[in-house]
Amino acid sequence: MATSGTTLPVWIHLLPFSSLPKFPSLTQDLETDTVIIGAGIAGIHTAYELVKRGKQVVLLEARDVLSGETGRTSGHLNNDLDDGYLEIASKHGKDGAKIAAESHAWARDKVEEVVKELGIECEYRKVPAYDVSQYPRGEEGWEEEMSELKEEAKMQASLGMESRFDESLRVKGWSGSVDQRGGMVVGNQATFHPTKYLASVLVWLKKQPNFQCFTRTRVLSVEEHGVEILGLGHKSVTVKTESGHTVKAEQAVEATCVPLQKLAVITQLESFRTYCIAVRVPKGSVEDCLLYDNAEQYKYVRLTACDDKDDYLVVGGCDHKVGQEETTLRFDELETWTRERFPQAGTVDYKWSGQILDPVDHMGLVGKNQGNQKIYIITGDSGDGLTNAVLAGRLIADEIDGVENKWAKLYSPKRLGSTLRSLPSMVAHDVQINTQYKRFLQADIVDIEDLVPGSGGVLNPKAGKPIAVYKDENGKVSQFSALCPHLKGVVCWNAVEKSFDCPVHGSRFSKEGICVIGPAKANLSPTDAPGQVAQEVAAS
């Protein structure tokens, strides 16, 4: 219940799960101004904004606080956005690109403001970002990517960012034989220890009389009631939980990484797994910066504290679509990449993976959900989930307060223009994910005896429905329906995180069948008594 996988992120090195703030489960019906679902950075920052404005807020979390993707981030705070501003401008125009740069910069600096206001020690600091080619100098593709980075630097500078191209760029500590000198330099970026920061914000929220939080409280539905037209009439929201209790509110915010719905905005998102390692390097041996290469599945690098002798070099990348590729080789690729460039690298102490959601038009979806007036969503991080979540808190609080915000149109889940310009990508994505229903005709194993202890797979009996099977380290077997509760895709076994992952829309379930990321709202249904017991124990 503390995290969404079996691997552990580096953030627990200095802040173990046991040190995070604790909250009770919901045991009664409640009424409030705003109910927020999801206690990651999006939910916490939205709560912070609303509580500061005097609103009554209830925050609900299916597991423990920070147990989702926020706790598995790499901790970059930047407005040097992953998709690049040339690409963003092609979808949203230069004015839209300028708003993207401005809003993410605001979010980066808002974290600094909160750090100072609440006196938080979380390694927050400003650092430069370096973007380099994925190819070594002289190799095919290097010159083309250098030209792309020159153009990107010009675009960013025209948007008011501290960006420039430097053909002689070198990163201190990169002394390996792979020569990728030259690239784009972006000033005034930032990084921090994400769970230290958010744990402190939660401690502050816990002291506020207009805030309540309930964990291990799974939400099954968010429903809008009433009629409101042109300011006449009234609408409200009811949230129903797995335990049977309800929360009635004026508005609800789904800060669940993926909205709790069947389709709508889900069709505009692609779900990817991404991987990280934390490797020891001697203090001062690597420049304190953010580093990215220019590959489609790019590598990303930063430093975080380890001990008096070493820092951790956090290196990530090797992304792939959820449930559609082998997971076990990614950490080896990251380690090899790191040692080839940073020969001072020592032991790899942490390896973990997380999930990101790429919207087809590159911008997050923040605001009133499609077809709703009182239900808001925050999703589509596009690899920039931390700043997207922080700016979302302000956007949603402004909209609830009736305050006009010039960012709102760019991020609106109801936007059409950029979505229509991305229609070919949407169609291709939809065709690709629909091919994943082929798993109805496939099986990972033909017999439970095929499973080694500590592994899982899908058994597809000819006379019945697919079964997700897990065999624990002692050989005890638990069985669950292999049909994702969202849209009945057949799940796949993720050997790295020991989870069952849906290749259709990216829902994931623990080895006990507990939903750890949506759009599914419910768990995998146990099909035998050991599965039922395992799920009950894991949820307790």
Side-chain angles (χ1 to χ4, degrees), residues 151-237:
E151 292 305 308
E152 177 68 18
K154 289 179 184 176
M155 170 62 86
Q156 291 193 11
S158 74
L159 300 175
M161 295 174 61
E162 299 176 22
S163 306
R164 60 184 174 84
F165 181 79
D166 182 353
E167 193 164 348
S168 62
L169 170 66
R170 290 175 181 267
V171 179
K172 177 190 170 186
W174 181 326
S175 57
S177 60
V178 181
D179 182 3
Q180 290 168 253
R181 282 174 296 150
M184 181 172 68
V185 179
V186 187
N188 202 29
Q189 305 302 289
T191 188
F192 70 153
H193 188 299
T195 56
K196 275 189 172 185
Y197 170 75
L198 291 163
S200 296
V201 176
L202 279 168
V203 168
W204 178 85
L205 282 168
K206 198 173 185 178
K207 297 174 183 177
Q208 308 311 307
N210 53 333
F211 175 79
Q212 297 179 82
C213 179
F214 300 94
T215 56
R216 306 202 176 201
T217 301
R218 184 174 294 278
V219 169
L220 294 183
S221 69
V222 184
E223 299 175 356
E224 199 171 77
H225 306 285
V227 177
E228 187 174 326
I229 302 174
L230 299 175
L232 300 176
H234 182 257
K235 278 194 167 189
S236 61
V237 174

Coordinates of all heavy atoms in Angstrom, one line a residue, residues 151-237:
E151 N 17.7 25.2 -33.2 CA 16.4 25.8 -33.4 C 15.6 25.9 -32.2 O 14.8 26.8 -31.9 CB 15.7 25.1 -34.6 CG 16.4 25.2 -35.9 CD 16.5 26.7 -36.3 OE1 15.5 27.4 -36.3 OE2 17.6 27.1 -36.7
E152 N 15.7 24.8 -31.4 CA 14.9 24.8 -30.1 C 15.4 25.9 -29.2 O 14.6 26.5 -28.5 CB 15.0 23.4 -29.5 CG 14.3 23.2 -28.1 CD 12.8 23.3 -28.2 OE1 12.2 23.1 -29.3 OE2 12.2 23.5 -27.2
A153 N 16.7 26.1 -29.1 CA 17.2 27.1 -28.3 C 16.7 28.5 -28.7 O 16.4 29.3 -27.9 CB 18.8 27.1 -28.3
K154 N 16.7 28.7 -30.0 CA 16.2 30.0 -30.5 C 14.7 30.2 -30.1 O 14.3 31.3 -29.7 CB 16.3 30.1 -32.0 CG 17.7 30.2 -32.5 CD 17.8 30.3 -34.1 CE 19.2 30.3 -34.6 NZ 19.2 30.2 -36.1
M155 N 13.9 29.1 -30.3 CA 12.5 29.2 -29.9 C 12.3 29.5 -28.5 O 11.6 30.4 -28.0 CB 11.8 27.9 -30.3 CG 10.4 27.8 -29.8 SD 9.2 29.1 -30.4 CE 8.7 28.3 -31.9
Q156 N 13.1 28.8 -27.6 CA 12.9 29.0 -26.2 C 13.3 30.4 -25.8 O 12.7 31.0 -25.0 CB 13.8 27.9 -25.4 CG 13.2 26.5 -25.5 CD 13.9 25.6 -24.5 OE1 14.6 26.0 -23.6 NE2 13.6 24.3 -24.7
A157 N 14.4 30.9 -26.4 CA 14.9 32.3 -26.0 C 13.8 33.3 -26.5 O 13.6 34.3 -25.8 CB 16.2 32.5 -26.7
S158 N 13.1 33.0 -27.6 CA 12.1 33.9 -28.1 C 10.9 33.9 -27.1 O 10.1 34.9 -27.2 CB 11.7 33.6 -29.5 OG 10.9 32.4 -29.5
L159 N 10.7 32.9 -26.3 CA 9.6 32.8 -25.4 C 10.0 33.4 -24.0 O 9.2 33.3 -23.1 CB 9.2 31.3 -25.2 CG 8.7 30.6 -26.5 CD1 8.5 29.1 -26.2 CD2 7.5 31.2 -27.0
G160 N 11.2 33.9 -23.9 CA 11.7 34.5 -22.6 C 12.4 33.6 -21.7 O 12.8 34.0 -20.6
M161 N 12.8 32.4 -22.2 CA 13.6 31.5 -21.4 C 15.1 31.8 -21.5 O 15.5 32.3 -22.5 CB 13.3 30.0 -21.8 CG 11.9 29.6 -21.5 SD 11.4 28.0 -22.2 CE 12.6 26.9 -21.3
E162 N 15.8 31.3 -20.5 CA 17.3 31.6 -20.5 C 18.0 30.4 -21.3 O 18.7 29.6 -20.7 CB 17.8 31.6 -19.1 CG 17.2 32.8 -18.3 CD 17.6 32.8 -16.8 OE1 18.7 32.2 -16.5 OE2 16.9 33.4 -16.0
S163 N 17.8 30.4 -22.6 CA 18.2 29.2 -23.4 C 19.2 29.7 -24.5 O 19.0 30.8 -25.1 CB 17.0 28.5 -24.0 OG 16.1 28.2 -23.1
R164 N 20.2 28.9 -24.7 CA 21.2 29.2 -25.7 C 21.8 27.9 -26.2 O 21.8 26.9 -25.5 CB 22.3 30.1 -25.2 CG 23.1 29.6 -24.0 CD 24.1 30.6 -23.5 NE 24.7 30.1 -22.2 CZ 25.8 29.3 -22.2 NH1 26.3 28.9 -23.4 NH2 26.3 28.9 -21.1
F165 N 22.4 27.9 -27.4 CA 23.1 26.8 -27.9 C 24.6 27.0 -27.7 O 25.1 28.1 -27.9 CB 22.8 26.6 -29.4 CG 23.5 25.4 -30.0 CD1 23.0 24.1 -29.8 CD2 24.7 25.6 -30.7 CE1 23.7 23.0 -30.4 CE2 25.4 24.5 -31.2 CZ 24.8 23.2 -31.1
D166 N 25.3 25.9 -27.2 CA 26.7 26.0 -26.9 C 27.4 24.7 -27.6 O 27.2 23.6 -27.1 CB 26.9 26.0 -25.4 CG 28.4 26.1 -25.1 OD1 29.3 26.0 -26.0 OD2 28.7 26.2 -23.9
E167 N 28.0 24.9 -28.7 CA 28.6 23.8 -29.4 C 29.8 23.1 -28.6 O 30.1 22.0 -28.9 CB 29.2 24.3 -30.8 CG 29.5 23.1 -31.7 CD 29.6 23.6 -33.2 OE1 29.3 24.7 -33.5 OE2 30.1 22.8 -34.0
S168 N 30.3 23.8 -27.7 CA 31.4 23.3 -26.9 C 31.0 22.8 -25.5 O 31.8 22.5 -24.6 CB 32.6 24.3 -26.7 OG 32.1 25.4 -26.0
L169 N 29.7 22.7 -25.3 CA 29.1 22.3 -24.0 C 29.8 21.0 -23.5 O 29.8 20.0 -24.2 CB 27.6 22.1 -24.1 CG 26.9 21.5 -22.9 CD1 27.0 22.4 -21.7 CD2 25.5 21.2 -23.2
R170 N 30.3 21.0 -22.3 CA 30.8 19.8 -21.6 C 30.1 19.7 -20.2 O 29.9 20.8 -19.6 CB 32.3 19.9 -21.4 CG 33.1 19.8 -22.7 CD 34.6 19.9 -22.4 NE 35.4 19.8 -23.6 CZ 36.0 18.7 -24.0 NH1 35.8 17.6 -23.4 NH2 36.7 18.7 -25.1
V171 N 29.8 18.5 -19.8 CA 29.3 18.3 -18.5 C 30.4 17.8 -17.6 O 31.1 16.8 -17.8 CB 28.2 17.3 -18.5 CG1 27.6 17.0 -17.1 CG2 27.0 17.7 -19.4
K172 N 30.7 18.6 -16.5 CA 31.7 18.2 -15.6 C 31.5 16.8 -15.0 O 30.4 16.5 -14.6 CB 31.8 19.2 -14.4 CG 32.8 18.8 -13.3 CD 32.7 19.6 -12.1 CE 33.5 19.1 -11.0 NZ 33.3 19.8 -9.7
G173 N 32.5 15.9 -15.1 CA 32.3 14.6 -14.6 C 32.0 13.6 -15.7 O 32.2 12.3 -15.5
W174 N 31.6 14.0 -16.8 CA 31.3 13.1 -18.0 C 32.7 12.9 -18.6 O 33.1 13.7 -19.5 CB 30.4 13.8 -18.9 CG 30.0 12.9 -20.2 CD1 30.8 12.1 -20.8 CD2 28.8 12.9 -20.9 NE1 30.2 11.5 -21.9 CE2 28.9 12.0 -21.9 CE3 27.6 13.6 -20.7 CZ2 27.9 11.8 -22.8 CZ3 26.5 13.3 -21.6 CH2 26.7 12.4 -22.6
S175 N 33.5 11.9 -18.2 CA 34.8 11.7 -18.6 C 35.0 10.4 -19.4 O 36.1 10.0 -19.7 CB 35.8 11.8 -17.4 OG 35.4 10.8 -16.5
G176 N 33.9 9.7 -19.6 CA 34.0 8.5 -20.4 C 34.3 8.7 -21.9 O 34.4 9.8 -22.3
S177 N 34.5 7.6 -22.6 CA 34.9 7.7 -23.9 C 33.8 8.2 -24.9 O 34.1 8.5 -26.0 CB 35.4 6.3 -24.4 OG 34.4 5.3 -24.3
V178 N 32.6 8.1 -24.5 CA 31.5 8.5 -25.4 C 31.4 10.1 -25.5 O 31.2 10.7 -24.4 CB 30.1 8.0 -25.0 CG1 29.0 8.4 -25.9 CG2 30.2 6.4 -24.8
D179 N 31.7 10.6 -26.6 CA 31.8 12.1 -26.8 C 30.5 12.6 -27.4 O 30.2 12.5 -28.6 CB 32.9 12.4 -27.7 CG 33.2 13.9 -27.9 OD1 32.4 14.7 -27.3 OD2 34.0 14.3 -28.7
Q180 N 29.7 13.3 -26.5 CA 28.4 13.9 -27.0 C 28.4 15.4 -26.7 O 27.4 16.0 -26.3 CB 27.2 13.2 -26.3 CG 27.0 11.8 -26.8 CD 26.0 11.0 -26.0 OE1 26.4 10.1 -25.3 NE2 24.7 11.4 -26.1
R181 N 29.6 16.0 -26.8 CA 29.8 17.4 -26.5 C 28.9 18.3 -27.4 O 28.6 17.9 -28.5 CB 31.2 17.9 -26.7 CG 32.2 17.5 -25.6 CD 33.6 17.9 -26.0 NE 34.0 17.1 -27.2 CZ 34.9 17.5 -28.1 NH1 35.4 18.7 -28.1 NH2 35.2 16.7 -29.1
G182 N 28.5 19.4 -26.9 CA 27.6 20.3 -27.6 C 26.2 20.1 -27.3 O 25.7 19.0 -27.0
G183 N 25.4 21.2 -27.3 CA 24.0 21.1 -27.0 C 23.4 22.4 -26.6 O 23.9 23.5 -26.7
M184 N 22.2 22.3 -26.0 CA 21.4 23.5 -25.6 C 21.6 23.6 -24.0 O 21.5 22.6 -23.3 CB 19.9 23.3 -25.9 CG 19.0 24.4 -25.5 SD 17.3 24.3 -26.1 CE 16.7 22.9 -25.2
V185 N 21.8 24.8 -23.6 CA 21.9 25.2 -22.2 C 20.6 26.0 -21.8 O 20.3 27.0 -22.5 CB 23.1 26.0 -21.9 CG1 23.2 26.3 -20.4 CG2 24.4 25.2 -22.3
V186 N 19.9 25.5 -20.8 CA 18.7 26.2 -20.3 C 18.9 26.6 -18.8 O 19.1 25.7 -18.0 CB 17.5 25.3 -20.4 CG1 16.2 26.2 -20.1 CG2 17.3 24.8 -21.9
G187 N 19.0 27.9 -18.5 CA 19.2 28.3 -17.2 C 17.9 28.3 -16.3 O 16.8 28.1 -16.9
N188 N 18.1 28.4 -15.0 CA 17.0 28.7 -14.1 C 16.0 27.5 -14.1 O 14.8 27.7 -14.0 CB 16.3 29.9 -14.5 CG 15.5 30.5 -13.3 OD1 15.9 30.3 -12.1 ND2 14.4 31.2 -13.6
Q189 N 16.5 26.3 -14.1 CA 15.7 25.1 -13.9 C 15.9 24.7 -12.4 O 16.6 25.3 -11.7 CB 16.1 24.0 -14.8 CG 16.0 24.4 -16.3 CD 14.7 24.9 -16.7 OE1 13.7 24.1 -16.9 NE2 14.5 26.2 -17.0
A190 N 15.2 23.6 -12.0 CA 15.3 23.3 -10.5 C 15.1 21.8 -10.3 O 14.7 21.0 -11.2 CB 14.2 24.0 -9.8
T191 N 15.5 21.4 -9.1 CA 15.3 20.0 -8.7 C 15.1 20.0 -7.2 O 15.4 21.0 -6.5 CB 16.4 19.1 -9.1 OG1 16.1 17.7 -8.9 CG2 17.7 19.4 -8.5
F192 N 14.6 18.8 -6.6 CA 14.4 18.8 -5.2 C 14.2 17.3 -4.8 O 14.2 16.4 -5.7 CB 13.2 19.6 -4.8 CG 11.8 19.1 -5.3 CD1 10.6 19.5 -4.6 CD2 11.7 18.4 -6.4 CE1 9.4 19.0 -5.0 CE2 10.4 17.9 -6.8 CZ 9.3 18.3 -6.1
H193 N 13.9 17.1 -3.5 CA 13.6 15.7 -3.0 C 12.0 15.8 -2.9 O 11.4 16.4 -2.0 CB 14.2 15.5 -1.6 CG 14.0 14.1 -1.1 ND1 12.8 13.5 -0.9 CD2 14.9 13.1 -0.8 CE1 12.9 12.3 -0.4 NE2 14.3 12.0 -0.4
P194 N 11.3 15.1 -3.8 CA 9.9 15.3 -3.9 C 9.1 14.8 -2.7 O 8.1 15.5 -2.3 CB 9.5 14.5 -5.2 CG 10.6 13.5 -5.3 CD 11.8 14.1 -4.9
T195 N 9.4 13.7 -2.1 CA 8.6 13.2 -1.0 C 8.9 14.0 0.3 O 8.0 14.2 1.1 CB 8.7 11.7 -0.8 OG1 10.1 11.4 -0.6 CG2 8.2 11.0 -2.0
K196 N 10.1 14.5 0.5 CA 10.4 15.3 1.6 C 9.5 16.6 1.5 O 8.9 17.1 2.5 CB 11.9 15.7 1.7 CG 12.8 14.7 2.4 CD 14.1 15.4 2.5 CE 15.1 14.6 3.3 NZ 16.4 15.3 3.6
Y197 N 9.5 17.2 0.3 CA 8.7 18.4 0.1 C 7.2 18.1 0.4 O 6.6 18.9 1.2 CB 8.9 18.9 -1.3 CG 8.0 20.0 -1.7 CD1 8.1 21.3 -1.3 CD2 6.9 19.7 -2.6 CE1 7.3 22.3 -1.7 CE2 6.0 20.7 -3.0 CZ 6.2 22.0 -2.5 OH 5.3 23.0 -2.9
L198 N 6.7 17.1 -0.2 CA 5.2 16.9 -0.1 C 4.8 16.4 1.3 O 3.7 16.7 1.8 CB 4.8 15.9 -1.2 CG 4.8 16.6 -2.6 CD1 4.8 15.5 -3.7 CD2 3.7 17.6 -2.8
A199 N 5.7 15.6 1.9 CA 5.4 15.2 3.3 C 5.3 16.4 4.2 O 4.4 16.5 5.1 CB 6.5 14.3 3.8
S200 N 6.1 17.4 4.0 CA 6.0 18.7 4.8 C 4.8 19.5 4.5 O 4.2 20.0 5.4 CB 7.3 19.5 4.6 OG 8.5 18.8 5.0
V201 N 4.4 19.5 3.2 CA 3.1 20.2 2.9 C 2.0 19.5 3.6 O 1.0 20.1 4.1 CB 2.9 20.3 1.4 CG1 1.6 20.9 1.0 CG2 4.1 21.1 0.7
L202 N 2.0 18.2 3.6 CA 0.9 17.4 4.2 C 0.9 17.7 5.7 O -0.2 17.8 6.3 CB 1.1 15.9 4.0 CG 0.5 15.4 2.6 CD1 1.0 14.0 2.4 CD2 -1.0 15.5 2.6
V203 N 2.0 17.8 6.4 CA 2.1 18.1 7.8 C 1.4 19.4 8.1 O 0.7 19.6 9.0 CB 3.5 18.1 8.3 CG1 3.6 18.7 9.7 CG2 4.1 16.6 8.3
W204 N 1.7 20.4 7.2 CA 1.1 21.7 7.3 C -0.4 21.6 7.1 O -1.2 22.2 7.9 CB 1.7 22.7 6.3 CG 1.1 24.1 6.4 CD1 1.4 25.1 7.3 CD2 -0.1 24.5 5.6 NE1 0.6 26.2 7.0 CE2 -0.3 25.9 6.0 CE3 -0.8 24.0 4.6 CZ2 -1.3 26.6 5.5 CZ3 -1.8 24.8 4.0 CH2 -2.1 26.1 4.5
L205 N -0.9 20.9 6.1 CA -2.3 20.8 5.8 C -3.0 20.1 7.0 O -4.1 20.5 7.3 CB -2.5 20.0 4.5 CG -2.3 20.7 3.2 CD1 -2.3 19.7 2.1 CD2 -3.4 21.7 3.0
K206 N -2.4 19.1 7.6 CA -3.0 18.3 8.7 C -3.4 19.2 9.8 O -4.3 18.9 10.6 CB -2.0 17.2 9.1 CG -2.7 16.1 9.9 CD -1.6 15.0 10.1 CE -2.3 13.8 10.8 NZ -1.3 12.7 11.0
K207 N -2.6 20.4 10.0 CA -2.9 21.3 11.1 C -4.0 22.3 10.8 O -4.4 23.0 11.7 CB -1.6 22.1 11.4 CG -0.5 21.2 11.9 CD 0.8 22.0 12.1 CE 2.0 21.1 12.4 NZ 3.3 21.9 12.5
Q208 N -4.5 22.3 9.6 CA -5.5 23.3 9.2 C -6.9 22.9 9.5 O -7.2 21.7 9.2 CB -5.3 23.7 7.7 CG -3.9 24.0 7.2 CD -3.3 25.1 8.1 OE1 -3.8 26.1 8.4 NE2 -2.1 24.7 8.6
P209 N -7.7 23.7 10.1 CA -9.1 23.3 10.5 C -10.0 23.0 9.3 O -11.0 22.3 9.5 CB -9.6 24.5 11.3 CG -8.8 25.7 10.8 CD -7.4 25.1 10.5
N210 N -9.7 23.5 8.1 CA -10.5 23.3 7.0 C -10.0 22.2 6.0 O -10.4 22.1 4.9 CB -10.7 24.6 6.2 CG -9.4 25.2 5.8 OD1 -8.4 25.1 6.5 ND2 -9.5 26.0 4.7
F211 N -9.2 21.3 6.6 CA -8.7 20.2 5.8 C -8.8 18.8 6.5 O -8.6 18.7 7.7 CB -7.2 20.4 5.5 CG -6.5 19.2 4.8 CD1 -6.6 19.1 3.4 CD2 -5.7 18.3 5.5 CE1 -6.0 18.0 2.8 CE2 -5.1 17.3 4.9 CZ -5.3 17.1 3.5
Q212 N -9.3 17.8 5.8 CA -9.3 16.4 6.2 C -8.8 15.5 5.2 O -9.0 15.8 4.0 CB -10.7 16.0 6.6 CG -11.4 16.8 7.7 CD -12.8 16.3 7.9 OE1 -13.1 15.3 8.6 NE2 -13.8 17.0 7.3
C213 N -8.1 14.5 5.6 CA -7.6 13.5 4.6 C -7.9 12.1 5.1 O -7.8 11.8 6.3 CB -6.0 13.6 4.5 SG -5.3 12.4 3.3
F214 N -8.3 11.2 4.2 CA -8.6 9.8 4.5 C -7.9 8.9 3.5 O -8.1 9.1 2.3 CB -10.1 9.6 4.5 CG -10.9 10.5 5.4 CD1 -11.4 11.7 5.0 CD2 -11.0 10.1 6.8 CE1 -12.1 12.5 5.9 CE2 -11.7 11.0 7.7 CZ -12.2 12.1 7.2
T215 N -7.1 8.0 4.1 CA -6.4 7.1 3.2 C -7.0 5.7 3.3 O -8.0 5.5 4.0 CB -4.9 7.0 3.7 OG1 -4.8 6.6 5.0 CG2 -4.2 8.3 3.5
R216 N -6.5 4.8 2.4 CA -7.1 3.5 2.3 C -8.6 3.6 2.1 O -9.4 2.8 2.7 CB -6.7 2.6 3.5 CG -5.2 2.6 3.7 CD -4.7 1.4 4.4 NE -3.2 1.4 4.4 CZ -2.4 0.4 4.7 NH1 -3.0 -0.8 4.9 NH2 -1.1 0.5 4.7
T217 N -9.0 4.5 1.3 CA -10.4 4.8 1.0 C -10.6 4.9 -0.5 O -10.3 6.0 -1.1 CB -10.8 6.2 1.7 OG1 -10.6 6.1 3.1 CG2 -12.3 6.5 1.4
R218 N -10.9 3.8 -1.1 CA -11.0 3.7 -2.6 C -12.3 4.3 -3.1 O -13.4 3.9 -2.6 CB -10.8 2.3 -3.1 CG -10.8 2.1 -4.6 CD -10.5 0.7 -5.0 NE -9.1 0.3 -4.6 CZ -8.0 0.6 -5.3 NH1 -8.1 1.3 -6.4 NH2 -6.9 0.2 -4.8
V219 N -12.2 5.2 -4.1 CA -13.3 5.8 -4.7 C -13.8 5.0 -5.9 O -13.0 4.6 -6.7 CB -13.0 7.3 -5.1 CG1 -14.1 7.8 -6.0 CG2 -12.8 8.1 -3.9
L220 N -15.1 4.7 -5.9 CA -15.6 3.9 -7.0 C -16.4 4.7 -8.1 O -16.5 4.3 -9.2 CB -16.5 2.8 -6.5 CG -15.8 1.7 -5.7 CD1 -16.8 0.6 -5.3 CD2 -14.7 1.1 -6.5
S221 N -17.0 5.9 -7.6 CA -17.7 6.7 -8.6 C -17.7 8.1 -8.1 O -17.7 8.4 -6.9 CB -19.1 6.2 -8.8 OG -19.9 6.4 -7.6
V222 N -17.7 9.0 -9.1 CA -17.9 10.5 -8.9 C -19.0 10.9 -9.8 O -18.9 10.9 -11.0 CB -16.6 11.2 -9.3 CG1 -16.7 12.7 -9.0 CG2 -15.3 10.6 -8.6
E223 N -20.1 11.4 -9.2 CA -21.3 11.6 -10.0 C -21.8 13.1 -9.7 O -21.8 13.6 -8.6 CB -22.4 10.7 -9.6 CG -22.1 9.2 -9.9 CD -23.1 8.2 -9.4 OE1 -24.1 8.7 -8.7 OE2 -23.0 7.0 -9.6
E224 N -22.2 13.7 -10.8 CA -22.7 15.1 -10.8 C -24.2 15.0 -10.7 O -24.8 14.3 -11.5 CB -22.2 15.8 -12.0 CG -22.2 17.3 -11.9 CD -21.5 18.0 -13.1 OE1 -22.1 18.0 -14.2 OE2 -20.4 18.4 -12.9
H225 N -24.8 15.9 -9.9 CA -26.3 15.9 -9.7 C -26.8 17.3 -9.9 O -26.1 18.3 -9.7 CB -26.7 15.4 -8.4 CG -26.2 14.0 -8.0 ND1 -26.6 12.8 -8.5 CD2 -25.2 13.7 -7.2 CE1 -26.0 11.8 -8.1 NE2 -25.0 12.3 -7.2
G226 N -28.1 17.4 -10.3 CA -28.8 18.7 -10.4 C -28.7 19.3 -11.8 O -28.2 18.7 -12.7
V227 N -29.3 20.5 -11.9 CA -29.3 21.2 -13.2 C -28.8 22.6 -12.9 O -29.3 23.3 -11.9 CB -30.7 21.2 -13.7 CG1 -30.8 22.1 -15.0 CG2 -31.2 19.8 -14.0
E228 N -27.9 23.1 -13.8 CA -27.5 24.5 -13.6 C -27.2 25.0 -15.0 O -26.4 24.5 -15.8 CB -26.1 24.5 -12.8 CG -25.7 25.9 -12.5 CD -24.5 26.0 -11.6 OE1 -24.4 25.1 -10.8 OE2 -23.6 26.8 -11.8
I229 N -28.0 26.0 -15.4 CA -27.9 26.6 -16.8 C -27.9 28.1 -16.7 O -28.7 28.7 -16.0 CB -29.2 26.2 -17.6 CG1 -29.3 24.6 -17.7 CG2 -29.1 26.8 -19.0 CD1 -30.5 24.2 -18.4
L230 N -26.8 28.6 -17.2 CA -26.6 30.1 -17.3 C -26.7 30.7 -15.9 O -27.3 31.8 -15.6 CB -27.6 30.8 -18.2 CG -27.6 30.3 -19.7 CD1 -28.7 31.0 -20.4 CD2 -26.2 30.7 -20.3
G231 N -26.1 30.0 -14.9 CA -26.1 30.5 -13.5 C -27.3 30.2 -12.7 O -27.4 30.5 -11.5
L232 N -28.3 29.6 -13.4 CA -29.6 29.3 -12.6 C -29.6 27.8 -12.3 O -29.1 27.0 -13.0 CB -30.8 29.6 -13.5 CG -30.9 31.1 -13.9 CD1 -32.1 31.3 -14.9 CD2 -31.0 32.0 -12.7
G233 N -30.2 27.5 -11.1 CA -30.2 26.1 -10.6 C -28.9 25.8 -9.8 O -28.1 26.7 -9.5
H234 N -28.7 24.5 -9.6 CA -27.6 24.2 -8.7 C -27.2 22.7 -9.0 O -28.0 21.8 -9.2 CB -27.9 24.3 -7.3 CG -26.8 24.0 -6.4 ND1 -26.6 22.8 -5.7 CD2 -25.7 24.7 -6.0 CE1 -25.5 22.8 -5.0 NE2 -24.9 24.0 -5.2
K235 N -25.8 22.5 -9.2 CA -25.3 21.2 -9.3 C -24.3 20.9 -8.1 O -23.7 21.8 -7.6 CB -24.5 21.1 -10.6 CG -25.4 20.8 -11.8 CD -24.5 20.4 -13.0 CE -25.4 19.8 -14.1 NZ -24.6 19.2 -15.2
S236 N -24.2 19.7 -7.8 CA -23.3 19.2 -6.8 C -22.8 17.9 -7.2 O -23.1 17.3 -8.2 CB -24.0 19.2 -5.4 OG -25.1 18.3 -5.4
V237 N -21.9 17.3 -6.3 CA -21.2 16.1 -6.6 C -21.3 15.1 -5.4 O -21.3 15.5 -4.3 CB -19.7 16.4 -6.9 CG1 -18.9 15.1 -7.1 CG2 -19.6 17.3 -8.1

